[in-house]
Amino acid sequence: MAVYRRNYRPYSGAQTPEWSRFLVLFRYSRRNLFRSRFLTGFLVLCFFWPIACMVWIYLAHSASFLAKLGLPPELISIDNKFFFLYMTVQGVLSFFMTAFAGPGLISPDLANGSLPLYFCRPFSRAEYVLGKSSVLGILLSQITWIPGVILFIIQASFAGASWTRDNLWIAGSLALSSLILIAILSLLSTALSAWVKWRIVAGALLVAVVPFGAGLAEAINAVLRIDAGHFFDLRYLVATVWTNLFLVDNERAVSVGQAWIAILVYGSICLWLLMRKIRAYEVIR
Amino acid sequence: MTQPGAPVSESSGSPTGAPSVPLIELNGLTVRFGNRDILHGLTASLRGRAIGLLGPNGAGKSTLINTLLGFYKPTGGSAKVFGQDIGTNLRNIRSLVGYMPENDAFISKMNAVSFVQMMGELSGLPSRVALERAHEALFYVGLAEARYRQLGTYSLGMKQLAKLAQAIVHGPKLLILDEPTNGLDPSARQRMVRMVREIRDSREMRIVLCSHLLRDVEDTCDEVLILKQGQIAHYSDLDEERRSNKRFVELEIYGANGDFTAAIEKLGCECAVTANRMKMVLADGVETRDIFRIAAEQQVRIRRLNFRRDTLEDIFLKAMES
């Protein structure tokens, strides 16, 4: 119908599959997110370290370069510690990326009361959370495991089949450590922004929560002379799991199993907080 | 791609006949928040093309709507929309419904076209179709010129229209309007009411209109459910009410004597005379032309003849007093 006729017209055509509806939210949220030039600039910045690592890998396999420096080839080794360092830097960048991008995903919907418009449609709360979180998931994947795996492939292509066979687990560690980081950061930022409707405050809160947890952990450990304070330090818990995944020697006060459980508990709390707030209307009892 | 939801042609009311399945069926529906009963065992069967939900603030109108949309879970009883239970077929029901909420509900950083298109896509429209229909819906509600403006810059009236556009973009079978004229100036209110009437008369959509403004409901609805403190205070078929009230006539007469009244009463009508005014309830089979005939015979001058009917305000006040 031509728009000028201004008649109401019912729709009886084909519909998209129900499972794909969360992708609509993903697409629009991502488009809104990338309206920010700062975010685009920061995303570009996040690729500097992977590029530096790539150059490092190349130079490590460049015999002429090493000869010029007079270094033995085994001095610059590309191993689990190298990839652990790569992930540590990208993890910090991911955190700041989440602090900037995460709150903007849900806060505006809550502030403008648009949740009833989503949920009066055949669209569930779980799909909403999935749609919004997948924006962060893809964004953080672009700066964590995807470049990490590319680096691994580049290294494998230089180092040969035997190195690849012996170190294939590193690729798995890259993926798993990234997934842990992405999941916990996505949940934390969405849960915080669901409770604090003001986007800037939600971002600031996310930036404050992690150092606050670390400070609280240190204070508890110092005052009570225990190690259990580390359970309040999310950064420490993630690092504990990562050191285990990358087989990096590092004395940790919390066991890997305990760290896993603590991370799962934090994730569950975030999910619970999120599902309590992501409702069409809040019930005041 | 799949075909849209469940078939509703039978239940949604054909353009020609009355619907065989009620639009909304409530069976002892109870909703409780904490210790407070918000809706107490509502039982009703609503079949009208446009149903008005009336009641004072806090009567439970919005809670009823929100329960039908699945936002609140019933603590007792059940409800059906188009014959489908809200407990088991919620997704199906939602695919048939367009909802315009009472409060501000928009995405400030989006223009109206993107906003309405996104809502269409979330309802299952393919992207291109959603874009086309978003433009149509915005033209239809009168936001054509402003459709590329960000929603955050809209006036209250424009936001209401944008909410209406998102509610109809996917071609729902049932349009639920929660206080659609809230905060509108008189001309914007009139425009909104006219549009709701147009939608009702197009017979493509059934309407549930929730309001505390009697005039809006009276102008647009043919069936009214009046709620009071979470209970049904009155149910009224306005069309039927209008028809039955046609039997009640008020006359302004001059030159009448007792014979005129007696002649009228002879026809079986009940009369009450005060000075120059006469009120009567017409008996079955008696038409106004019979009154005029007797007046001519008795040389009585009729200055005015009104069909007095209970206004919705009368009905509402009676319901509130009961």
Side-chain angles (χ1 to χ4, degrees):
Chain A
M1 183 192 77
V3 287
Y4 62 82
R5 286 179 65 185
R6 298 187 190 187
N7 284 332
Y8 174 74
R9 188 176 57 128
Y11 180 72
S12 54
Q15 292 198 326
T16 53
E18 287 194 356
W19 65 263
S20 67
R21 307 268 166 91
F22 79 93
L23 293 171
V24 174
L25 203 55
F26 166 77
R27 192 154 36 83
Y28 280 90
S29 301
R30 192 174 161 81
R31 192 189 298 169
N32 277 348
L33 202 62
F34 276 95
R35 289 213 175 109
S36 159
R37 285 181 190 166
F38 176 81
L39 184 99
T40 312
F42 191 72
L43 184 65
V44 171
L45 192 73
C46 290
F47 290 115
F48 282 10
W49 178 240
I51 289 168
C53 289
M54 199 161 66
V55 172
W56 188 254
I57 291 171
Y58 173 76
L59 293 179
H61 292 280
S62 168
S64 58
F65 171 74
L66 294 173
K68 258 185 199 168
L69 295 178
L71 296 170
E74 62 275 9
L75 196 71
I76 306 176
S77 60
I78 308 297
D79 54 11
N80 54 339
K81 285 180 188 152
F82 170 84
F83 284 102
F84 179 70
L85 180 64
Y86 159 81
M87 270 308 294
T88 306
V89 174
Q90 290 306 92
V92 173
L93 292 172
S94 300
F95 174 71
F96 286 109
M97 174 67 91
T98 307
F100 181 77
L105 293 172
I106 288 182
S107 295
D109 286 345
L110 284 152
N112 297 314
S114 53
L115 292 183
L117 300 182
Y118 293 110
F119 302 139
C120 70
R121 300 184 145 71
F123 193 70
S124 67
R125 292 191 292 157
E127 283 169 305
Y128 176 85
V129 173
L130 182 65
K132 292 286 183 181
S133 304
S134 56
V135 177
L136 272 182
I138 300 290
L139 190 64
L140 297 183
S141 293
Q142 286 173 338
I143 58 175
T144 53
W145 68 270
I146 294 174
V149 169
I150 290 170
L151 288 178
F152 181 83
I153 292 168
I154 292 169
Q155 163 64 13
S157 67
F158 282 127
S162 71
W163 184 93
T164 308
R165 206 168 34 248
D166 294 343
N167 295 283
L168 200 57
W169 61 272
I170 293 177
S173 299
L174 278 168
L176 191 55
S177 57
S178 300
L179 287 179
I180 294 164
L181 183 76
I182 291 168
I184 199 71
L185 285 180
S186 302
L187 283 171
L188 195 62
S189 72
T190 46
L192 285 176
S193 58
W195 279 77
V196 184
K197 292 178 186 174
W198 200 17
R199 185 190 155 191
I200 295 169
V201 177
L205 196 62
L206 181 66
V207 173
V209 154
V210 175
F212 175 78
L216 182 68
E218 289 304 323
I220 289 171
N221 289 343
V223 172
L224 301 176
R225 293 179 186 173
I226 54 171
D227 290 328
H230 288 300
F231 286 110
F232 292 98
D233 188 355
L234 195 56
R235 185 186 50 89
Y236 187 89
L237 296 169
V238 171
T240 303
V241 172
W242 279 14
T243 51
N244 177 256
L245 284 173
F246 284 96
L247 301 179
V248 177
D249 292 332
N250 202 343
E251 198 66 24
R252 312 298 288 186
V254 174
S255 75
V256 178
Q258 287 171 330
W260 268 106
I261 291 167
I263 289 171
L264 285 175
V265 169
Y266 277 117
S268 306
I269 291 170
C270 290
L271 203 57
W272 179 73
L273 289 173
L274 199 56
M275 293 321 261
R276 270 186 67 87
K277 276 286 171 183
I278 303 298
R279 291 171 184 275
Y281 291 108
E282 202 169 345
V283 178
I284 297 159
R285 293 174 193 278
Chain B
M1 299 279 184
T2 56
Q3 287 303 310
V8 289
S9 54
E10 189 194 359
S11 56
S12 61
S14 68
T16 51
S20 56
V21 175
L23 171 60
I24 295 170
E25 221 177 337
L26 310 173
N27 295 309
L29 184 73
T30 302
V31 176
R32 182 177 298 157
F33 297 155
N35 294 325
R36 284 186 302 141
D37 268 356
I38 308 298
L39 299 177
H40 313 256
L42 304 187
T43 300
S45 180
L46 307 171
R47 293 168 185 266
R49 271 189 299 135
I51 297 163
L53 288 181
L54 268 178
N57 293 332
K61 307 181 297 285
S62 295
T63 305
L64 176 57
I65 283 180
N66 292 337
T67 308
L68 294 176
L69 286 167
F71 297 159
Y72 303 145
K73 280 208 160 59
T75 42
S78 65
K80 287 179 180 175
V81 179
F82 289 123
Q84 303 189 51
D85 195 286
I86 59 165
T88 51
N89 293 320
L90 194 56
R91 218 175 158 103
N92 230 347
I93 291 169
R94 283 175 176 174
S95 68
L96 303 171
V97 171
Y99 172 54
M100 177 183 172
E102 177 184 1
N103 302 318
D104 258 4
F106 60 95
I107 300 167
S108 57
K109 293 279 169 64
M110 258 189 182
N111 65 42
V113 173
S114 301
F115 170 68
V116 177
Q117 184 192 2
M118 182 176 86
M119 291 301 160
E121 285 186 59
L122 286 174
S123 294
L125 300 184
S127 186
R128 280 188 63 178
V129 177
L131 179 62
E132 189 187 330
R133 288 186 66 92
H135 282 283
E136 285 176 17
L138 289 164
F139 262 87
Y140 181 66
V141 301
L143 284 177
E145 300 298 321
R147 66 193 194 278
Y148 285 110
R149 260 172 62 187
Q150 291 209 337
L151 290 164
T153 66
Y154 274 18
S155 67
L156 184 59
M158 292 166 88
K159 281 177 188 165
Q160 292 287 81
L161 294 173
K163 279 196 289 180
L164 180 62
Q166 66 77 31
I168 61 172
V169 66
H170 54 292
K173 303 285 179 196
L174 168 64
L175 180 62
I176 297 179
L177 306 169
D178 195 353
E179 308 277 4
T181 55
N182 241 9
L184 298 184
D185 61 44
S187 62
R189 186 199 146 270
Q190 266 185 348
R191 209 165 48 237
M192 178 67 81
V193 168
R194 197 174 56 233
M195 211 173 303
V196 174
R197 267 204 308 257
E198 266 176 40
I199 292 171
R200 179 198 65 188
D201 294 340
S202 74
R203 291 176 178 261
E204 300 289 358
M205 247 188 281
R206 313 276 288 278
I207 293 172
V208 171
L209 188 141
C210 169
S211 179
H212 60 268
L213 299 174
L214 305 176
R215 181 95 186 274
D216 291 355
V217 174
E218 191 163 29
D219 286 351
T220 51
C221 297
D222 47 30
E223 206 172 289
V224 172
L225 192 70
I226 301 176
L227 297 177
K228 183 186 172 187
Q229 294 173 345
Q231 289 175 318
I232 295 174
H234 185 75
Y235 162 80
S236 173
D237 185 333
L238 287 182
D239 276 350
E240 185 60 37
E241 204 92 27
R242 280 165 197 147
R243 275 195 296 274
S244 66
N245 276 321
K246 277 209 164 177
R247 311 304 301 166
F248 193 90
V249 175
E250 262 183 348
L251 298 176
E252 190 180 331
I253 50 176
Y254 290 93
N257 50 30
D259 294 347
F260 179 66
T261 312
I264 297 283
E265 281 175 343
K266 235 183 214 175
L267 293 173
C269 304
E270 290 174 41
C271 297
V273 184
T274 50
N276 291 331
R277 291 179 193 278
M278 179 184 238
K279 290 180 182 177
M280 69 177 79
V281 180
L282 298 180
D284 281 345
V286 177
E287 299 295 332
T288 49
R289 79 169 78 90
D290 299 324
I291 310 290
F292 284 115
R293 183 176 47 77
I294 293 169
E297 286 168 8
Q298 308 266 342
Q299 296 190 327
V300 173
R301 282 171 290 145
I302 297 178
R303 278 278 176 83
R304 195 183 303 161
L305 184 149
N306 284 336
F307 287 104
R308 194 198 175 280
R309 65 184 182 84
D310 278 357
T311 60
L312 187 55
E313 192 174 348
D314 297 329
I315 297 169
F316 182 77
L317 289 175
K318 271 185 219 162
M320 290 300 106
E321 283 162 11
S322 63

